[in-house]
Structure formats: C-alpha cells, structure tokens
Amino acid sequence: MQTLKDLFGNRFRDNQLERLLYSHDVGVLPAAVKKTFNSMPSAVVQPENKQELIDLMKWANETRTPLIPRGAATSGFGGAIPTKGGVVVDLIRMKNIIAFDPEQQTVTVEPGIVWEELDSFLASRGYTLRLYPSSYPGSTVGGWTAQGGTGLGSYRYGSFKDNLVEVKAILGDGTERTFSLQDLDLIYGLEGITGIIYEITLKVMKQKNDFPLAAVFSNLLPLPELVKELENHNLPVWNITVLTPEFIALHQSATREKVLPEDKYLVNIVLSSPDEKQVDIAQTLIARAGGQLLSSEAAHHEWNNRFYTMRLKRLGPSLIASEVIVPLAKAAEFIGEVEHKFKGEFAFEGTFVGQDAITFLGLMPADERKLNFPLLYANSLIINDIATKLGGKIFALGMYFTDYAEQLLGSNLLKQLVKFKQETDPQGILNPGKILPPGLDKNSPLKVLNTAMKGATMGKSLLGGLTSLLGGNSAKDHIEEKAKGPFSGAVLAESYICAQCGFCRTNCTVFMPDPWESNSPRGKWYILNEYAKGNIDLDETAVTALFNCTTCKKCDLVCQTLLPNAHRWLEMRPAVNQAGFINTGLELVKDNVVNSGNFWGVPAETKSWITPEIKYEEEGEIAYWPGCWASIIMKNMPQNIARIMNKAGVPFVYLGADEGCCGLYHALGGYMEEFGAKVKANYENLKKRGVKKLLLSCPGCFATFTENYPEMAHHLGIDWDIETEHVTVFLNRLLQEGKLRFTKPINAKVTYHDSCHCGRWFNIYEEPRAILKAIPGIELIEMEHNREKGLCCGLVASFQSIPTVGYSGQKRINEATATGAEYIVTNCAGCGSQMNFTSNMLNANVKQKDITDLVAEAMGIEEIYDPTAAIASYMEAAIKLLTPACIMLKQKYHK
C-alpha cells in the first residue's frame, strides 16, 4: 500500500473505521448475507484527475488488487460495495464542470458532481436538467451513469442512457476510451466493471417552470387512456408519478402530516411551463378519466417532497426495497397481485418511463434487529418475479441480481460484454462480482450468495439457504443492539433510522473541505449503528468523527428521515467525556472560562467596552448581554447597541464585572458540571438585578440562553423565567415602532450573512433584512446561498480542523465577492471575525461590517470602533493555539 500512500497522500486512508464506512451502501443486508463475501476494503483512495486513475489502474494490475468505483453509494443494489476486499475508488473529488455548450444544449462534467450542484450551475445560466434521479440531492452523475436507470423526467426523456452524449473511462488495462452511441452499452449501467468513468457529456435543456397537478383515483385502470389523451392533446407533460394508498398512509404517518387522502391512488402530473389553456385541458382530461383534482397547495406540497421517498423509514426502522419496471398496461394488475400477496405490507411509488411503462419502487418497513428480517428480505425477490411474469423487468443488476443479466441486457449484448471484459480487464480487477452471473464469471466471489438467491426465487427461504450453505445458525446474528455504552437509547435507536441517503454530505460544513465518509453526518450515524450492534468499540478515531461538527444544522434541513442531527451530536458529547475522551481544543477553552471567565482566558479588564457617554442601569427589567467575543474583539458591536438603545430611549442593565461567559463552549465540549455552574451563577446575577428580559448580540449566547439554559435550569431545580431576544429582532421591533430614526443615507451595496444560530436554529431571517432595507441608500443583494441555505462560516471547526475554517471562510467571501457588494454584513462576533479576517487575508473587494455598524451610522452615531486590528491579532493567536490542539484531538483522558 505504500505506493498508494505516496500517490494519494492525505487522499489515502486505510484505518479500520474509514474502511468500514466504505463497506456498504444505502441497503441494509442481513448479517448472513454479508458473510458470503468480503465487503471490507483494504483501503480507500480519492483521485483528483485522470492521470491518477491511470496510475492506480497500473498498480492494481501489478498487485492484482480489485478496484471498486464509488459515487455517493446512494443505491441499494450493491454496485459500490466490495465483494472480495480491494481498494474503493471514491470519486468525490472529481466534480469539476468541464464545459457547457448552450447551443448544443450539453454539459460535460467529472463523475463526482452531485446532481443538485450541477442543476444549480445550469440554473445560473438559464438551463436545467432534462431528467434526474429521485436521489438528486445526494447522488452523482457518475453514479447514475454506472448504475443506469430512469428518474424524474423520464416520462418525456426516457432513460438516462437516452440523454448521454459520450462517456470517457479508464479501462481495466489502463487505456482510455470514449464511449458514444451504441458503444455506451459497454459502459452504461455496468457498475464500472468495464472502466472507471472520468468524464460524462449529457444533454440539458432550457430552464422551465414545473407546474404540478395532483389528482386521486380509486384504481390505476384509467391511467393508460389518460396518458393517451394527454399525448393526443400535445400537452407539455414532463413527469408523472403515482403513489399507492399504502405509500401515502405510511409516508404521512412518518412525517405526521396529513395532506393527501389515504384510501386512494395519487397521480401527480407535472407540466413544463404550460399556458392557462393547457392547464385547463389537462384538468379536464384528468376529471374525465375519473380523477378527483386536489388543491394547488397539495400538488405543490407533494412535488416539493419528491426527493424524500425514504421518510417512511422512520416507521421501520429498516426497509425492504424492490425496484422494477412494469408495462403501463399491466400496472394495475401488478399492484393488485402484490397487494393480494403481501396484504398491503409493500408501499409503492411509481415514476413513468415514456408513455408505456412505470418504474415502481416498493418499500416494506421492517426491523433489521428482529429475527424475521432475513425472511422478509427475500420478499423483494418475489416482487421481481411478479413484475417479470407480467412482462416487466428489474431496475438494475448490481451485485444481487446478476442472474437477470440476460433478461435485462439481452443475450447479444451480454456476450459482447463478456468478450470486452476479458479483452480489456483480463485479470478481473474492476469491481468483481457485479453484473455478470457466476456462470459467465468463473472467479465471481458471489457464488454462495447467488446460489442462495436462486433458492429464494424458487420459493425457499433466503435465510434457510444461507444457513445451510454457511453451516450454522445465522439467527444469532439478528438480535437487539449489543452495546449501549455511554449513549442514550434514543441516539442508538435513531442510528437505525438514518437512511444513509447522503443528502447531508454536500450540505455539511466539515465534509466538503475534507470529503471522507467519517466527516459526514451519515458517517456518524453509521458509526453509532455499528457500535450499537457491538461491531466496533469507541476509540479515538470514532470519537473524533462523532465530535467533528460545527452544529450549523444544515444536515437537519435535508435529512430524509427528519433526524435531529445537530441536537444528537451535542447530546453525545457529555457521554463521550464520561467514556474517557476529550476534545483538547475545547478543553483549553473550558479552562479559560473556568479560570478567567471568558473564552479567550484574558484578564477581566480586557472586556471593558463601555465608553464614558454610554448610559446603563444597575437594575431593571431589560439587560444586554454582549458575550465574550464582542466584549473583547468586536467592541463595536456592544458599543453600537448601547448607543442605539440610548438614542432610542430604551434603558438597559449591564452586568459589568458580574457578566461571565454564557457557557456555550462548556455545552459544546460536553462539560455539564461546569455548564450547570454557569447557569446557576448567571441566573442568580440576573435575578438580583431584577432582569426579566435578556437581549443578546451573540447568536451562540442567544442559542445557549434560549435553549440550553431552561433545560439545565430544570435539571438544577431552578425556575427559569427570563425571556431572551436576539438584538436583530429587538432592533427590527424598534424600527417598526418608529424608535429608530435613520438620518444619514449610506450609499452602499451590501450582502447579508445568516449566522447558523440565528438562522437555522431560530429562523431569524427577515428581521435583519428589514433593518437593512430600511436604511436609506442601502442596496441589499443576496448571495447564492442565503437564509436557510446560507453557508456556515466554519469558525467552530477550529476545535477540530483549522483548514476547514479557512476553506469555509474563503468559500463565503468568494460568494459575497460574486455579488459585487461592498460589504458582507454579519450579526455575530464569531462570523464577523471570520469574515473580516478572511476578506483581509484574501485582499477581497468585499469587506465585513456588523449590522449594528450600519444602523449606528445611519442614526448619526459617530466614531464607530474598527475591530480589524484586534480581529487579526486574536485570530492569528487562536490559530497558533488551536492547531497543535487539533492534532491531539480527542486524546484519551486519564483522570
């Protein structure tokens, strides 16, 4: 492996935890099934270019090591899972957009780009995708090319293959080849067994407006005639989706929403930029076919949730899945036979493929912890057989359905494929065990599995077949979780619910700069799940992965199964400490707070920001809490706020020497004893001053006082009765009441950065924007990512990875620069310090301003403090302090 280490550097990993995280996809396999092959890779590499793939292929041939190409592993067909060890080739870093041709309406990309990212690029140029998979927020272009199949938009544009222009790949012998036209059959849908894809050119189209129409039907029998009528009237139908009553009921139970009737079939027809007449015609045809039209709100609700099929996994917490393509004329018969066989246990979502077929994804809630899970797992094979009997076919081959290869590919193509594989990959390096049945692949590592699957399709138990083949009782592998350790039962239970869909990955602040699975939210859940099963122990590598989070909450917004990710990561930290681990960076801050009363560990007098003209009260109902960062570094924030309140005639209490730290970093580090002491002391200080309402300018302090204090206070037996409000909300209220009078225009273009704790944690989006828009002369321009999709500044990552902090800051400043704004406006001392420091380091045109700077200036307040020098000094000191601490991250703690 030394050659690979030299070739890939920090893009090579062979530690046990990372290898484990690359040994699976979204599918949940019975333990007995996994025992039939070796899914554990010996290493994982992340190439960045074609030449590295060529070098890797040369090494693999010399060492006879299997290579397993991997996109985002969002499929459940096993294509990205090793079958006899080898090296997983994670293509996540090859995600460039190489060329866009608006005249030919094509785009050329590397394989690792996620569909949502590509669509965002196209949208900025007035174009969009012709079709995309339902895993659009997480899957990659290369992954769908290797998997093959259909998706949303396939009604109008067919399979993904029909939309490919050419595919470039490195073959098993290390040579390059471009596949196009009929040659695409030798690379498309083959899971990389004939080549590792490095470039794809696909067709796109001009941007359109999706117009969904939703209707419910008593059965599916009217669909063929309805489709025929829609086509006869030349309506711009782009997509048609069908949901069975079972699917609707389960999905709504999982989401606790009831928008659709649960005793009928839903048909969602999406028109592309229709005019009013076309909409009227479509509605008339639907009604004529016996459909009951639902409201526009219901139609849009369903369409907006099109990517969240697996939300019903919350009810499992596991799913048995089956995906088949059925002739439209047989759709009603197929569903009827399945419902008769399984008594409504399978729920189906169907997506039209052209005008004569439907891809049905069937999901059966199950529980992998129960002894009957392997028995239920075999039911997916019965679905395949029902579809085949009615003239349908399976969706893809992957590793489990290789015996269907001739049926899906045709005998001529299968023979051609075997010959091509033997000529270009004579040693069988590329993704062994996939696509080709063992009868055509003498070295297949899946012979035991294949034999068991054959038995299951003939009505035998998959579990029984594997038990006899493996020799022993596989039931012992299916029990309740074996290890609870320091974690709560809720956390371990939710580790089974995670769908492993990967939607969280490209939204994760710590994943994108260093895109290893251990840095992703889904990686954390998989680690917890393996720990719950007793398959791994807690060690420094696992704890590091569990701790590595900025709590930005971006993963919560896209989670398939609605898991409270950020809260769970925080909840685990006290447990991790109790298990004997620490975060050395947060340990330093804890000591600073305990010894000096502030984040930075500086003497109390350093926090002095009060100037002679500022007036405040010793006692009163409203108090202002500036926070450590603002008091020490960004003194302009508390000074501005105090002067604004003075000018607006709002008296406030300042605690002075009694103001300590809110304890946020105690909570982040899991130091509950120290945090409890902070809550008690701060509560007593506030109450003795008569405070009933606390104004906070630091979003971290605001979140801590608002969410963590009541919970800890309850634990301590304290009746927490102090209201909290962030300064931006308070200032907007003063604005609405006419107490903020802007007398000085500020002629500037600005863009606004939503801090995570104000935004995603507490939905404070519009108040600060209302303030900015009210200032004469200000022009507000939004960045590409704003409001709930706003990027995290990354500063909290300093306790795990200083490079992540730099990456996040640069990405945000680059977005702000792209708007042409003069200022990036912040509401947080931490975000403000990061944006100020980074913009100056990059010598960017855009500069940082706190929102209170602009409010104060517009109110005629002069001599506003410039924190730039202080920010530079403290940020540089923090980097020097925390860089070695990050190296020692989560050392074992010996009391």
Side-chain angles (χ1 to χ4, degrees):
M1 292 291 171
Q2 187 59 48
T3 300
L4 292 188
K5 291 180 182 179
D6 294 341
L7 179 60
F8 292 99
N10 62 5
R11 292 178 285 111
F12 167 94
R13 287 194 180 179
D14 63 353
N15 67 74
Q16 182 180 9
L17 185 75
E18 207 70 59
R19 290 161 51 214
L20 177 70
L21 291 169
Y22 284 85
S23 68
H24 70 99
D25 59 15
V26 300
V28 177
L29 295 177
V33 174
K34 291 201 75 170
K35 283 186 176 181
T36 64
F37 56 90
N38 178 18
S39 64
M40 181 69 82
S42 54
V44 184
V45 297
Q46 294 182 339
E48 290 183 329
N49 53 60
K50 177 180 69 174
Q51 187 56 52
E52 288 185 344
L53 289 176
I54 293 172
D55 294 342
L56 175 63
M57 197 71 73
K58 178 182 177 182
W59 173 87
N61 276 285
E62 290 172 352
T63 59
R64 294 178 177 247
T65 303
L67 298 179
I68 304 90
R70 178 183 173 103
T74 59
S75 166
F77 286 91
I81 301 178
T83 55
K84 57 178 185 178
V87 173
V88 169
V89 186
D90 182 5
L91 297 163
I92 182 65
R93 296 181 192 261
M94 294 182 65
K95 57 188 308 177
N96 291 313
I97 296 171
I98 298 169
F100 170 58
D101 188 337
E103 291 187 6
Q104 295 298 317
Q105 296 194 8
T106 63
V107 65
T108 301
V109 300
E110 290 183 327
I113 191 167
V114 170
W115 286 103
E116 187 171 31
E117 295 174 327
L118 174 56
D119 204 18
S120 177
F121 166 86
L122 293 171
S124 68
R125 289 153 178 80
Y127 284 77
T128 190
L129 301 164
R130 285 158 55 114
L131 75 170
Y132 45 79
S134 59
S135 54
Y136 162 103
S139 64
T140 64
V141 176
W144 206 21
T145 307
Q147 166 80 62
T150 59
L152 299 167
S154 284
Y155 176 89
R156 182 57 57 201
Y157 292 107
S159 74
F160 182 42
K161 179 192 165 188
D162 299 326
N163 296 271
L164 288 173
V165 177
E166 65 178 27
V167 175
K168 295 182 179 180
I170 305 300
L171 307 187
D173 57 10
T175 59
E176 303 173 43
R177 177 152 176 174
T178 298
F179 299 86
S180 61
L181 302 174
Q182 292 304 311
D183 262 3
L184 286 169
D185 286 334
L186 295 176
I187 192 72
Y188 173 79
L190 300 181
E191 305 288 12
I193 69 167
T194 55
I196 298 182
I197 297 165
Y198 68 85
E199 188 176 299
I200 303 146
T201 300
L202 60 145
K203 301 172 185 175
V204 297
M205 65 179 178
K206 289 188 176 180
Q207 206 161 27
K208 59 184 177 59
N209 173 41
D210 295 334
F211 191 97
L213 293 169
V216 291
F217 290 78
S218 298
N219 55 63
L220 299 181
L221 292 173
L223 287 189
E225 186 61 28
L226 173 59
V227 169
K228 181 179 178 181
E229 286 298 305
L230 291 170
E231 289 301 307
N232 286 342
H233 286 80
N234 199 31
L235 296 179
V237 179
W238 177 70
N239 186 77
I240 302 179
T241 305
V242 177
L243 303 182
T244 63
E246 293 81 8
F247 184 94
I248 294 169
L250 287 172
H251 201 270
Q252 293 189 155
S253 175
T255 59
R256 297 181 180 178
E257 293 181 320
K258 189 158 185 178
V259 178
L260 306 173
E262 297 180 353
D263 59 346
K264 297 183 184 299
Y265 294 85
L266 177 80
V267 177
N268 204 358
I269 298 173
V270 180
L271 307 177
S272 289
S273 301
D275 56 35
E276 289 186 14
K277 182 179 180 181
Q278 290 171 324
V279 172
D280 289 342
I281 293 173
Q283 291 176 331
T284 300
L285 294 176
I286 291 169
R288 190 181 298 166
Q292 177 187 343
L293 282 162
L294 301 181
S295 68
S296 175
E297 290 76 15
H300 280 88
H301 177 274
E302 181 56 37
W303 183 238
N304 291 338
N305 282 279
R306 63 193 179 278
F307 304 127
Y308 295 96
T309 302
M310 295 177 71
R311 282 209 160 136
L312 53 83
K313 192 174 188 290
R314 291 192 64 86
L315 307 176
S318 310
L319 290 176
I320 307 296
S322 182
E323 197 161 10
V324 294
I325 302 177
V326 177
L328 174 58
K330 297 290 185 177
E333 187 176 350
F334 169 77
I335 293 297
E337 190 166 338
V338 172
E339 289 180 344
H340 175 74
K341 176 75 176 177
F342 294 104
K343 311 302 180 188
E345 292 179 328
F346 262 102
F348 283 93
E349 177 185 59
T351 306
F352 272 64
V353 184
Q355 289 86 54
D356 56 6
I358 301 179
T359 296
F360 278 112
L361 171 62
L363 299 172
M364 173 190 284
D367 191 340
E368 63 186 281
R369 297 167 295 184
K370 301 296 178 62
L371 297 179
N372 68 342
F373 181 67
L375 300 172
L376 295 175
Y377 188 82
N379 288 335
S380 63
L381 305 177
I382 299 174
I383 302 295
N384 294 346
D385 287 345
I386 294 174
T388 301
K389 182 183 69 175
L390 295 174
K393 57 186 179 181
I394 64 169
F395 184 78
L397 299 172
M399 112 169 29
Y400 311 116
F401 305 120
T402 56
D403 265 358
Y404 291 85
E406 185 170 350
Q407 178 205 95
L408 188 64
L409 303 175
S411 57
N412 289 337
L413 176 56
L414 185 58
K415 290 176 184 177
Q416 185 183 1
L417 175 59
V418 170
K419 181 182 178 183
F420 183 75
K421 172 79 169 171
Q422 291 172 343
E423 291 173 349
T424 60
D425 185 19
Q427 298 195 83
I429 298 299
L430 289 171
N431 214 3
K434 314 298 168 60
I435 305 299
L436 301 178
L440 296 176
D441 181 5
K442 63 181 181 180
N443 296 316
S444 173
L446 300 179
K447 292 179 180 178
V448 172
L449 176 61
N450 184 262
T451 300
M453 297 286 271
K454 282 182 178 178
T457 58
M458 292 186 291
K460 299 178 182 178
S461 163
L462 178 63
L463 174 63
L466 290 173
T467 300
S468 61
L469 287 165
L470 293 172
N473 180 14
S474 62
K476 66 183 179 182
D477 296 313
H478 303 277
I479 59 176
E480 296 290 334
E481 50 262 39
K482 303 172 184 177
K484 294 189 182 300
F487 302 119
S488 72
V491 167
L492 296 180
E494 285 170 347
S495 74
Y496 288 88
I497 292 173
C498 172
Q500 291 293 310
C501 63
F503 289 9
C504 55
R505 296 199 318 159
T506 53
N507 283 280
C508 177
T509 302
V510 300
F511 176 80
M512 288 311 298
D514 196 21
W516 292 99
E517 283 293 337
S518 58
N519 285 336
S520 71
R522 77 170 178 183
K524 290 178 176 60
W525 284 119
Y526 196 78
I527 291 168
L528 286 167
N529 191 244
E530 287 295 291
Y531 178 74
K533 294 174 180 176
N535 294 335
I536 62 172
D537 296 320
L538 281 184
D539 60 15
E540 291 183 18
T541 306
V543 169
T544 297
L546 294 176
F547 241 94
N548 199 4
C549 172
T550 66
T551 68
C552 72
K553 224 175 186 180
K554 289 188 72 181
C555 54
D556 282 31
L557 294 182
V558 298
C559 183
Q560 271 264 34
T561 51
L562 302 170
L563 290 169
N565 299 289
H567 282 89
R568 292 308 189 206
W569 310 150
L570 288 173
E571 180 186 317
M572 287 189 297
R573 292 183 176 186
V576 166
N577 283 334
Q578 292 169 17
F581 297 89
I582 62 168
N583 177 302
T584 52
L586 285 166
E587 184 84 354
L588 287 171
V589 175
K590 182 200 76 170
D591 292 342
N592 284 347
V593 173
V594 170
N595 297 327
S596 304
N598 62 78
F599 175 95
W600 294 99
V602 299
E605 57 267 24
T606 310
K607 292 178 64 179
S608 177
W609 53 268
I610 295 288
T611 55
E613 80 282 3
I614 291 176
K615 297 179 178 62
Y616 62 90
E617 309 290 332
E618 295 292 336
E619 296 181 2
E621 294 189 357
I622 298 176
Y624 168 57
W625 182 283
C628 300
W629 275 69
S631 296
I632 296 170
I633 304 178
M634 293 188 69
K635 297 185 179 184
N636 54 312
M637 290 179 66
Q639 288 173 359
N640 291 338
I641 292 163
R643 290 167 176 167
I644 290 167
M645 285 196 284
N646 284 172
K647 198 158 188 175
V650 180
F652 70 95
V653 173
Y654 172 54
L655 300 182
D658 286 340
E659 184 201 74
C661 178
C662 69
L664 167 63
Y665 291 93
H666 289 336
L668 287 178
Y671 305 113
M672 291 299 103
E673 183 178 341
E674 290 82 356
F675 181 60
K678 275 291 170 198
V679 171
K680 185 173 184 296
N682 287 332
Y683 177 77
E684 290 174 352
N685 283 331
L686 291 168
K687 292 304 288 184
K688 74 180 182 182
R689 304 287 192 102
V691 174
K692 296 182 179 180
K693 183 172 186 174
L694 192 61
L695 301 177
L696 304 109
S697 51
C698 171
C701 294
F702 172 64
T704 305
F705 273 102
T706 304
E707 189 164 278
N708 301 110
Y709 266 56
E711 183 178 343
M712 178 56 76
H714 177 75
H715 176 73
L716 296 173
I718 296 171
D719 183 17
W720 180 262
D721 57 355
I722 297 174
E723 181 186 352
T724 58
E725 188 171 53
H726 189 261
V727 161
T728 54
V729 177
F730 172 71
L731 292 177
N732 184 57
R733 186 154 45 79
L734 293 184
L735 177 66
Q736 302 308 315
E737 294 172 355
K739 294 180 180 179
L740 293 188
R741 295 182 177 86
F742 298 136
T743 58
K744 180 182 176 183
I746 301 175
N747 297 313
K749 294 180 180 180
V750 306
T751 191
Y752 182 72
H753 169 77
D754 293 282
S755 65
C756 300
H757 279 101
C758 272
R760 281 180 289 271
W761 282 77
F762 291 98
N763 296 308
I764 301 174
Y765 295 116
E766 301 312 318
E767 293 89 343
R769 287 173 170 81
I771 294 168
L772 291 172
K773 291 175 182 177
I775 297 175
I778 289 288
E779 180 184 350
L780 176 62
I781 309 168
E782 297 288 1
M783 286 181 274
E784 177 184 351
H785 295 92
N786 62 80
R787 292 179 172 83
E788 67 274 5
K789 294 185 178 180
L791 300 181
C792 175
C793 78
L795 195 61
V796 177
S798 58
F799 300 108
Q800 285 86 27
S801 168
I802 293 295
T804 297
V805 180
Y807 174 96
S808 301
Q810 290 182 49
K811 190 169 184 179
R812 198 53 165 161
I813 289 298
N814 289 339
E815 269 203 1
T817 301
T819 67
E822 297 171 56
Y823 301 118
I824 177 170
V825 179
T826 57
N827 66 16
C828 167
C831 295
S833 297
Q834 166 77 314
M835 296 300 104
N836 187 301
F837 183 75
T838 304
S839 66
N840 284 303
M841 289 290 289
L842 295 175
N843 196 27
N845 291 329
V846 68
K847 299 300 179 185
Q848 180 269 339
K849 282 274 191 185
D850 188 77
I851 189 169
T852 62
D853 290 338
L854 298 175
V855 172
E857 184 179 346
M859 292 179 71
I861 296 172
E862 299 179 351
E863 297 183 8
I864 296 172
Y865 176 80
D866 183 356
T868 301
I871 288 171
S873 176
Y874 275 93
M875 291 288 280
E876 289 168 2
I879 291 170
K880 290 178 182 178
L881 179 69
L882 290 173
T883 297
C886 290
I887 293 171
M888 297 185 290
L889 195 63
K890 299 177 187 61
Q891 284 184 317
K892 204 159 188 177
Y893 177 52
H894 302 286
K895 292 186 178 179

